[in-house]
Amino acid sequence: MADPILDIRGLSRSFGALKATDDVSLDLRAGEIHALIGPNGAGKSTLIKQISGEIAPDAGEVRLRGRSLAGVDAAGRARLGMARSFQVSSVAPEFTVLQNVVLSAQGASGASFRFFRPVMRDAGLLGTAHDCIAQAGLSGREAVPAAELAHGERRKLEIAMALALRPALFLLDEPMAGMGTEGATALGDLLDGLRHRAPILLVEHDMDAVFRLSDRVSVLVYGRVVATGTPDEIRADPEVQRVYLGEEA
Amino acid sequence: MSTILLIEQLLNGLQSGLMLFLMAAGLTLVFGVMGLINLAHGSLYMVGAFACAGVAAATGSFWLGLAASIAAAAAAGAIVEVAVIRRLYARDHLDQVLATFALILIFSEGTRWLYGSFPLYLNVPPSLSGSVTLPGGIQYSLFRLAIIGAGLAVAVGLFLLIGKTRIGVQVRAGEADREMIAALGVDIRRLYTLVFALGAALAGMAGALVGTIQSVQVGMGEPVLILAFVVIVIGGIGSIKGALVGALLVGLTDTMGRVLLPSIFGLFMETSAATSVGAALASMAIYILMALVLIVKPGGLFGARA
Amino acid sequence: MPEGRGGRMTRAQIVNAALALGLIGFGLGAWAMDETFLVTLATKVAILAIAGAGLNLVLGFGGLVSFGHAAYFGLGGYASGILAHHALNYTAMFEWPFVFEGTTSMPVIWLTAMAVGALAALVIGALSLRTTGVYFIMITLAFGQMIFYFAISWPAYGGEDGLPIYVRNGFPGLNTLDPVQFFGLVCVVLFAMLGLISMLARSRFGLALQAARQNRQRLMAVGIRPGGVLLVAFVISGAITALAGALYADLNRFVSPSMLSWHLSGELLVFLILGGTGRLFAPLAGAGLYIALEHLLGGVSDHWQFFFGLLLLGVVLFARGGVIGFLAGGKRHG
Amino acid sequence: EPVKVGMITTLSGGGASLGIDTRDGFMLAVEKAGNPDLEVHIEDDQRKPEVAVQLSDEMIQSEDVDVLTGIVWSNLAMAVVPGAVRQGKFYLSTNAAPSQLAGKGCHENYFSVSYQNDNLHEAAGQYATDEGFGRMFIMAPNYPAGQDSLSGFKRFYEGEVANEVYTQLGQTDYAAEIAQIRDSGADALFFFLPGGMGISFMKQWAEAGIDMPVVGPAFSFSQDILPAIGEAAVGVKNTAQWSKDIDNEANAAFVAAFEEKYDRLPSLYAAQGYDTARLLLSAMEKADVSDADAFREALRAAEFDSVRGDFAFGPNQHPVQDIYVREVISEEGQLTNKIVATAMEDRGDAYAEECSM
Amino acid sequence: MSALLEVEDLNAAYGASQALFGVSLAVKEGQALALMGRNGMGKTTTIACITRMMAARSGRISFAGHDLGRLPSHKAARLGLGLVPEGRRAFAGLTVRENLIAAARRGAWSFEKVCDLFPRLAERAGQRAETLSGGEQQMLVIGRALMTNPKLLILDEATEGLAPVVRAEIWAAIRALKSQGQSILVVDKSLRELSSVADDCVVLERGRDVWHGPPAALSGDLAQRYLGV
Ligand SMILES: Nc1ncnc2c1ncn2[C@@H]1O[C@H](COP(=O)(O)OP(=O)(O)OP(=O)(O)O)[C@@H](O)[C@H]1O
Ligand SMILES: Nc1ncnc2c1ncn2[C@@H]1O[C@H](COP(=O)(O)OP(=O)(O)OP(=O)(O)O)[C@@H](O)[C@H]1O
Ligand SMILES: CC(C)C[C@H](N)C(=O)O
Ligand SMILES: [Mg+2]
Ligand SMILES: [Mg+2]
């Protein structure tokens, strides 16, 4: 089997006495959706932040295509191809949808110190942006400032921005939260197609989506990975049922 | 330098620090806790000083003057909050800067209109005038000792009010999300008026105390305002403990810098030049201190947030 | 700046054009009527607008509230004053590696002032950008105050007394002592700077800069480091404001530490807010209104500052988004 | 031909009291003279150099004044005077007289009617020497006028300087300095702290209860701020070229008229403003302002009855005059100054030689 | 039984763009009403008008016999509205305990009872809200609303981002609350769980209330049409 795109080894991070992640190892292989589930406060977002470089781990390392990312900051990791969405929508509120996505495309292009040409007339960036907006299901809302979007629409904008980075992999922190059944279904279909472009590490509490989409599922409890397996294996795991799934399994 | 002189200078630093704390505490409440940049805080300090001078002159009693300073500043604060500030919470900081800048002009020129350009004076009340001999033979002004006491008492009171009471919790909740705390049934408008008036009262009291040992004049609040901002930024905005520590640091740095730097430069320079260079560096000292603190701790010493 | 929707942009453009024409018209009109002083006043507005434009780049677009921009303004002024001082007194400014006796040539002075401003902004910016929000406001103030006190107590160039420039510096082909020619020169600089800023704001750099104001976390996540973007903006801003300082020194034929004082930093902020933060023409609108009110009210009463305060208060409370926001409507950007 | 005077002085903000007195003294003389050919424009400089420059531009360019006057502060004078005199205007200083303008930078159109900035400090030094103070503690703010002040003092002081301290400009708390003074064991204290700084210092000084003679230039004890200092000032010695009790007709008339018109006692600044106007009026009697050379000669002659008694200009057009030592006294419930000695007679200044006029 | 909350012909707008067009709904004492609709259809806007966080253009809102028309939002809340807002909005700098007591009013719900409902919160009582996990924050704001002991509990997407077990617990809690007679207005995406508590449903589409009825009737075609299920 090919080497994993993303390889996480022994990541630990404590906040005071609390071990938010505790010696977590997992990997993300080409073409897969790897779901990360676990109770609230298990450390999923903390793990994503360590992968994306927003917070530094106390121990352990992250490798992207075999290359260690130690010392690379969040912006550097984004340039290396990590696209992430935030659990709480994080966009530029005064920018329009289009400007937000163009910003993302510009980031991917790596050239932000250009002082002369108007960016909103850059055909290349605009093309990418319109594409991604359409894929995320936001067509027609390009000119609306992000602050005026309804909650669910802002979630979609996050997805569009991640797409525009043309990433090597996606780190999605609860992308479906707040989206509504219809939106979640559409997003599921989108992710389903996306995995072949770039693998996805998906944190989600929407179990329908998780079991429908993922190739593998890891379960994080109190900062530790307690199980990894196929959706069916996880669904059947009594421990996972007890601490996380409840009667839903 | 003799030990006695050194101790006396430390006391001076402590006293000027606690004086600053009275200003800074009100500012940090309004600024850190209510999220409002109030440049007019110095004007409230001035209002307190003028009220004290006016009432003390009319009644002959410093204590009535002091009470009047607190009342007048609190009233001025409440009026300003209701008439102007209240409309600004939802705006960004910059609108607040402009509006409170306008308030400075109004207060300063208004006071000048009423009292003229000539400074007023206040006398230390007989019961607190003169100096006492402290253990070790240190002569120290009684009034300044009283200021030290008042500053410490206010520090404790505020610390309890903000940290330990439900009112404090509600005010801080208001700073985090004003709309939300109102939607939960707290009359945040009235609460803010009260807090603002409290901050103003402290500033007014500081103005009266400082006016008594210095002078009462239009514009007296501005330099103190800048220093108070320095203090709360060093300490970390919104933290009463930070304001206290910051104020003491600034007071001590300023006093000791003024005293020590010229003599230090005197060790290897000609006296006149040394005193002048030393004095120059001393006036920069607190700003250097602030820059250093912020470079090392970008959120101030006790700042909750960056 | 973000492209507005529909007719909004044009309305803002009309206001901008009116402001530009108003300034030029006022200056020329005053000149035609032989009111030399009013030409000088218009020149002052234009120069302060340049300084404000420098601040606007970081504040309006980048969201950095610098409370220490007087530092660059004053450094630009002193660059001009010191160069002219040596040139006029025929004293060497430095003798190594070559003897340099200063200069009275504006282009050279301008470049020097901008270089000095940029350098100061680079150092101060690099240190200050570690902080955010109010802490940033205060650390920039701190650096400003340090330079201010330094200028006051450094006797070589006049200290608190300041440094006179007996004759206005020269510009090739112009008689800068003629108020209207100097006014014209300043206007050209002003509109060049506004053009530059407008271009920057629309560029890729500008998009990143404005994103840095709104959400630094997001900017990082798309692979752009806000620190670098903001620092570059800060340096450009320092250079522009220093250029204004050099012009101001020439207007007054005098530099003093008051150019470095926090009052001036505050006034620059007030111009921007009064004009409408984040609007390209805010500095011009704000400085124009401020100076006009100051001038008109000053004649009415000794207590004019009282009424001035009331007027300013009225503007904040009732004209949201500053003068331009009030006139042009539309969303404010900052 | 009428003479247009532009008066730029500080009428608002801190320090307004000095400008107001200057203006009131000047206008008192103008009104008493009732000369219809004298027209005065008064503007407020807010104590800001750049505002002063703009006002002078306005007066010179738009209002076409012949004479400028009124500036209180040296830094404003440095900003305005060189440009104004180069444009052919006369400048008559009612107060500020920085050394640069007395020495190398002197100009034929520039006259100081008050003094040269150092004079009062020099006189204080002379007085300290005369009194036999062997060790003096000297103190001033750290800015050029403060540095000049201490060097002026030392120029004529022959004893030992116990300590030399520069305070911060605008400082209001002097606890640290007072502790140093107490500790120094000096015979006497000389300080120069103009305006609010002096008020604060004196009040704190009195509180500290240190038994040490105090000497200073008149600025800290002039009539406009004495009431603010209060009883603390009584007994302090200060040096001035004028006092309300100088015994001559002109002075008596001035003091009476000033009190009558403004209902307060005149200060040093009022006297200086008054003398300046009287000098100008005397020149107008003798020459037409459009003939600059003649007018200048008439000014130089200084043929007017100064409230100071004898008055003459030295070669650099700064006064040559007596400087007195005054003591602060309480008189009819009011604090005021009384002459107790003459510190220097016919004193010119230290910079006249550098002036090549 | 008379309606606790009654909204009639509500119109509201964000600046120039109208968001609500004549919405009407009613919550009866002791009952639960579900407000449903796709993203951006006006659910949150309706709630903002009811809680007086946003001024309606026109329409009538009455609650417990009072007209909410002109009341400031804190007064409306004191009449007994308890809001769990969309997007959580816990007071970031305050500790869990402080968040809970900040707006507490006397009644059956106390700190201890909330901790019984959400033991997680008891464990984290001294931690600042901004450092809580998403789900913990969600529990916190539900607890915060309960601590005001409201007559009507308004939940806007209260289970967003919660683990299935917790979600189940919260739905259980909501059902329990309702069985104790608590009146509830609830917005959620999950039709299945809504059906288990709601007595009545209102569906919004583009700012209009296009459908009223019991949850059981909202299935098949209707659900597909209005909710995309
Ligand atoms: N900055 C911090 N300081 C202290 N504790 C923190 C901090 N950040 C997170 N925590 C704690 O670490 C634990 C893990 O938080 P994290 O946000 O990673 O959870 P999560 O698995 O994403 O949960 P959820 O599904 O609810 O979003 C939580 O208990 C949280 O309170
Ligand atoms: N602050 C705002 N400014 C302008 N328009 C807004 C604002 N908030 C919401 N809107 C618009 O109002 C409409 C209704 O939004 P609302 O938030 O009420 O929808 P919702 O039904 O709660 O959606 P969701 O399920 O996504 O939360 C949407 O078209 C949205 O774009
Ligand atoms: C009033 C005086 C103290 C003024 C002083 N001569 C100055 O130049 O500032
Ligand atoms: Mg999470
Ligand atoms: Mg909603």
Side-chain angles (χ1 to χ4, degrees), chain D residues 91-108:
Chain D
Y91 188 91
L92 306 182
S93 180
T94 51
N95 189 56
S99 54
Q100 296 96 314
L101 298 180
K104 283 205 185 100
C106 68
H107 193 276
E108 56 179 7

mmCIF file of all heavy atoms in Angstrom, chain D residues 91-108:
data_model
loop_
_atom_site.group_PDB
_atom_site.id
_atom_site.type_symbol
_atom_site.label_atom_id
_atom_site.label_comp_id
_atom_site.label_asym_id
_atom_site.label_seq_id
_atom_site.Cartn_x
_atom_site.Cartn_y
_atom_site.Cartn_z
ATOM 1 N N TYR D 91 9.162 92.823 14.842
ATOM 2 C CA TYR D 91 8.652 91.999 15.923
ATOM 3 C C TYR D 91 9.088 92.596 17.253
ATOM 4 O O TYR D 91 10.284 92.783 17.496
ATOM 5 C CB TYR D 91 9.115 90.534 15.825
ATOM 6 C CG TYR D 91 8.402 89.713 16.862
ATOM 7 C CD1 TYR D 91 7.200 89.094 16.553
ATOM 8 C CD2 TYR D 91 8.873 89.634 18.167
ATOM 9 C CE1 TYR D 91 6.486 88.413 17.527
ATOM 10 C CE2 TYR D 91 8.168 88.971 19.145
ATOM 11 C CZ TYR D 91 6.972 88.364 18.821
ATOM 12 O OH TYR D 91 6.255 87.710 19.784
ATOM 13 N N LEU D 92 8.106 92.881 18.104
ATOM 14 C CA LEU D 92 8.403 93.419 19.432
ATOM 15 C C LEU D 92 8.020 92.359 20.449
ATOM 16 O O LEU D 92 6.849 92.008 20.566
ATOM 17 C CB LEU D 92 7.568 94.677 19.698
ATOM 18 C CG LEU D 92 7.667 95.798 18.658
ATOM 19 C CD1 LEU D 92 6.822 96.985 19.106
ATOM 20 C CD2 LEU D 92 9.111 96.231 18.459
ATOM 21 N N SER D 93 9.017 91.831 21.165
ATOM 22 C CA SER D 93 8.680 90.751 22.085
ATOM 23 C C SER D 93 8.162 91.285 23.412
ATOM 24 O O SER D 93 8.793 92.112 24.054
ATOM 25 C CB SER D 93 9.882 89.857 22.331
ATOM 26 O OG SER D 93 9.478 88.839 23.222
ATOM 27 N N THR D 94 6.994 90.762 23.792
ATOM 28 C CA THR D 94 6.425 91.109 25.090
ATOM 29 C C THR D 94 6.918 90.165 26.169
ATOM 30 O O THR D 94 6.683 90.400 27.342
ATOM 31 C CB THR D 94 4.904 90.975 25.059
ATOM 32 O OG1 THR D 94 4.607 89.677 24.544
ATOM 33 C CG2 THR D 94 4.282 92.023 24.170
ATOM 34 N N ASN D 95 7.521 89.041 25.779
ATOM 35 C CA ASN D 95 7.996 88.115 26.799
ATOM 36 C C ASN D 95 9.158 87.247 26.331
ATOM 37 O O ASN D 95 10.300 87.461 26.729
ATOM 38 C CB ASN D 95 6.847 87.238 27.305
ATOM 39 C CG ASN D 95 7.259 86.434 28.515
ATOM 40 O OD1 ASN D 95 7.707 86.998 29.497
ATOM 41 N ND2 ASN D 95 7.167 85.124 28.430
ATOM 42 N N ALA D 96 8.866 86.262 25.472
ATOM 43 C CA ALA D 96 9.886 85.281 25.123
ATOM 44 C C ALA D 96 11.078 85.970 24.469
ATOM 45 O O ALA D 96 10.905 86.789 23.572
ATOM 46 C CB ALA D 96 9.306 84.251 24.172
ATOM 47 N N ALA D 97 12.283 85.628 24.912
ATOM 48 C CA ALA D 97 13.482 86.213 24.320
ATOM 49 C C ALA D 97 14.603 85.194 24.353
ATOM 50 O O ALA D 97 15.549 85.297 25.135
ATOM 51 C CB ALA D 97 13.873 87.480 25.060
ATOM 52 N N PRO D 98 14.493 84.173 23.510
ATOM 53 C CA PRO D 98 15.482 83.099 23.533
ATOM 54 C C PRO D 98 16.865 83.586 23.115
ATOM 55 O O PRO D 98 16.992 84.562 22.375
ATOM 56 C CB PRO D 98 14.936 82.088 22.522
ATOM 57 C CG PRO D 98 13.987 82.854 21.672
ATOM 58 C CD PRO D 98 13.442 83.955 22.515
ATOM 59 N N SER D 99 17.881 82.870 23.605
ATOM 60 C CA SER D 99 19.256 83.322 23.388
ATOM 61 C C SER D 99 19.622 83.358 21.910
ATOM 62 O O SER D 99 20.385 84.227 21.483
ATOM 63 C CB SER D 99 20.214 82.415 24.153
ATOM 64 O OG SER D 99 19.993 81.077 23.787
ATOM 65 N N GLN D 100 19.073 82.423 21.135
ATOM 66 C CA GLN D 100 19.428 82.412 19.716
ATOM 67 C C GLN D 100 19.131 83.753 19.060
ATOM 68 O O GLN D 100 19.862 84.224 18.199
ATOM 69 C CB GLN D 100 18.630 81.335 18.952
ATOM 70 C CG GLN D 100 18.910 79.913 19.376
ATOM 71 C CD GLN D 100 17.884 79.441 20.395
ATOM 72 O OE1 GLN D 100 17.580 80.166 21.348
ATOM 73 N NE2 GLN D 100 17.364 78.247 20.213
ATOM 74 N N LEU D 101 18.024 84.365 19.463
ATOM 75 C CA LEU D 101 17.624 85.620 18.826
ATOM 76 C C LEU D 101 18.356 86.819 19.413
ATOM 77 O O LEU D 101 18.273 87.922 18.888
ATOM 78 C CB LEU D 101 16.108 85.823 18.952
ATOM 79 C CG LEU D 101 15.259 84.751 18.274
ATOM 80 C CD1 LEU D 101 13.776 85.043 18.470
ATOM 81 C CD2 LEU D 101 15.576 84.656 16.789
ATOM 82 N N ALA D 102 19.066 86.569 20.510
ATOM 83 C CA ALA D 102 19.827 87.672 21.095
ATOM 84 C C ALA D 102 21.254 87.672 20.563
ATOM 85 O O ALA D 102 21.906 88.706 20.503
ATOM 86 C CB ALA D 102 19.846 87.558 22.616
ATOM 87 N N GLY D 103 21.710 86.494 20.188
ATOM 88 C CA GLY D 103 23.093 86.368 19.731
ATOM 89 C C GLY D 103 23.178 86.297 18.220
ATOM 90 O O GLY D 103 22.778 87.222 17.517
ATOM 91 N N LYS D 104 23.646 85.156 17.730
ATOM 92 C CA LYS D 104 23.861 85.004 16.282
ATOM 93 C C LYS D 104 22.630 85.335 15.467
ATOM 94 O O LYS D 104 22.717 85.874 14.376
ATOM 95 C CB LYS D 104 24.272 83.557 15.987
ATOM 96 C CG LYS D 104 25.708 83.255 16.320
ATOM 97 C CD LYS D 104 26.196 82.085 15.465
ATOM 98 C CE LYS D 104 27.598 81.652 15.855
ATOM 99 N NZ LYS D 104 27.624 80.467 16.715
ATOM 100 N N GLY D 105 21.474 84.973 16.004
ATOM 101 C CA GLY D 105 20.259 85.146 15.204
ATOM 102 C C GLY D 105 19.591 86.501 15.394
ATOM 103 O O GLY D 105 18.414 86.658 15.077
ATOM 104 N N CYS D 106 20.309 87.505 15.895
ATOM 105 C CA CYS D 106 19.662 88.801 16.111
ATOM 106 C C CYS D 106 19.306 89.434 14.773
ATOM 107 O O CYS D 106 19.842 89.067 13.734
ATOM 108 C CB CYS D 106 20.573 89.724 16.921
ATOM 109 S SG CYS D 106 22.053 90.230 16.029
ATOM 110 N N HIS D 107 18.362 90.366 14.806
ATOM 111 C CA HIS D 107 17.904 90.953 13.550
ATOM 112 C C HIS D 107 17.475 92.377 13.813
ATOM 113 O O HIS D 107 16.943 92.701 14.873
ATOM 114 C CB HIS D 107 16.720 90.143 12.997
ATOM 115 C CG HIS D 107 16.385 90.489 11.583
ATOM 116 N ND1 HIS D 107 15.586 91.553 11.251
ATOM 117 C CD2 HIS D 107 16.751 89.903 10.414
ATOM 118 C CE1 HIS D 107 15.465 91.612 9.931
ATOM 119 N NE2 HIS D 107 16.164 90.621 9.390
ATOM 120 N N GLU D 108 17.707 93.225 12.843
ATOM 121 C CA GLU D 108 17.425 94.648 13.062
ATOM 122 C C GLU D 108 15.947 94.929 13.299
ATOM 123 O O GLU D 108 15.589 95.945 13.884
ATOM 124 C CB GLU D 108 17.935 95.468 11.880
ATOM 125 C CG GLU D 108 17.364 94.995 10.554
ATOM 126 C CD GLU D 108 17.856 95.842 9.375
ATOM 127 O OE1 GLU D 108 18.720 96.696 9.588
ATOM 128 O OE2 GLU D 108 17.348 95.635 8.264
#
